[in-house]
Amino acid sequence: MAQTLLMPKATAVWLVDNTALSFEQIAQFCKLHPLEVKAIADGEAAQGIKGLDPIATGQLSRDEISRAEGDVNHKLKLSEPKVRVPDSKRRGPRYTPVSKRQDRPNAILWLVRNHPELKDAQISRLVGTTKTTIEQIRDRSHWNSANLAPMDPVTLGLCSQIDLDLEVEKASKGRPLPTAAELGATLQATTATENLGLYGQEEEKEIDANAVFAKLKSLKSTRTDDEDDQY
């Protein structure tokens, strides 16, 4: 792992104040320009920065500083760190706990069905799987295809809703908007539904009126018959 100096400007302030090193030596060690180091020495730069002792932080030894003070051409070297920090690994597929790995095929099936716009790499990042497994589930050649049931990966705890929304948003960029025919495939125009409603109401009113008139006529004829019987 490449070593880097902690707080270069604060270290330069300390070296200017506490050593007899040349501006060039300090500039080379702190990755600064010699004129910037000179400005620090003149009080024109880094006025509010507190010096950082590189000896206390283990980045320089006293012997190294003394050697550089005695030889203007000597270049300061960072001390070997006492603790080695491993290099950060390249980010790969999301790690899936062992207890949840059995639910991963169900989550893949859910993503394939509900979000066909997602690429295999995106599904792999969300649930931590391989491209081969995704293809097998997609074409139903997975060994357990008969028993798989689509399940939301967020509900299963395999990914967060935020991660899923971000991946879906990325996959949706550049996709063509739905056409008018697609939008109207399942919906009827407002005027059509309104006309149907009015027509139905008028027909219903007409039927009710006829029934009322028929009932009135029957009552009238009945009443006339009763009066004839009395006479």
Side-chain angles (χ1 to χ4, degrees), residues 116-140:
E117 70 276 11
L118 290 176
K119 299 179 180 179
D120 291 352
Q122 294 178 298
I123 297 176
S124 179
R125 284 197 298 268
L126 287 171
V127 299
T129 184
T130 62
K131 185 177 180 180
T132 303
T133 304
I134 298 173
E135 291 177 352
Q136 290 176 350
I137 294 176
R138 197 189 302 271
D139 58 21
R140 306 296 293 177

Side-chain angles (χ1 to χ4, degrees), residues 18 30 44 65-66 78 90 101 123 145 149 151 155 168 176 202-203 211 216:
N18 297 277
C30 298
E44 298 175 358
I65 293 177
S66 299
L78 281 170
R90 183 181 177 184
R101 289 180 185 177
I123 297 176
S145 293
M151 299 181 69
T155 305
V168 171
E202 292 175 356
E203 184 179 2
L216 288 174

